[in-house]
């Protein structure tokens, strides 16, 4: 919820990969252009740093990934986790 409250984040999903917490973001590139944010990854990293400051060390995001397209979804609108490409 914390990340999706920010207008730069359209969708985000966290998962564990190789014993690290990964947060994968689908950013709003139109919003980034509107506010003049040239480095979306740096903007997202700042959001993650703020979140990590209040999370316990076991829950801290250690890896950030950006997506160029929305997450794949089922007909009911839920993210299809097994079809995600975790090797990007």
């Amino acid at each position: 919820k914390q990340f999706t409250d920010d207008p730069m984040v359209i969708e985000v999903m966290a998962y564990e990969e190789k014993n690290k917490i990964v947060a994968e973001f689908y950013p709003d590139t139109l919003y980034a252009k509107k506010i003049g944010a040239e480095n979306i990854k740096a903007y997202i990293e700042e959001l993650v740093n703020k979140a990590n400051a209040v999370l316990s060390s076991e829950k801290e995001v250690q890896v950030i990934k950006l997506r160029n397209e929305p997450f794949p979804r089922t007909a009911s609108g839920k993210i299809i986790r097994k079809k995600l490409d975790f090797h990007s």
Side-chain angles (χ1 to χ4, degrees), residues 1 37 44 53 68 76 79-81 83:
K1 181 77 177 145
I44 298 292
N68 294 322
S76 63
I79 292 175
I80 303 172
R81 290 181 168 267
K83 287 192 177 180

Side-chain angles (χ1 to χ4, degrees), residues 13 72 74 78-86:
M13 184 174 56
T74 65
K78 294 182 180 180
I79 292 175
I80 303 172
R81 290 181 168 267
K82 65 184 175 185
K83 287 192 177 180
L84 291 176
D85 177 12
F86 295 143

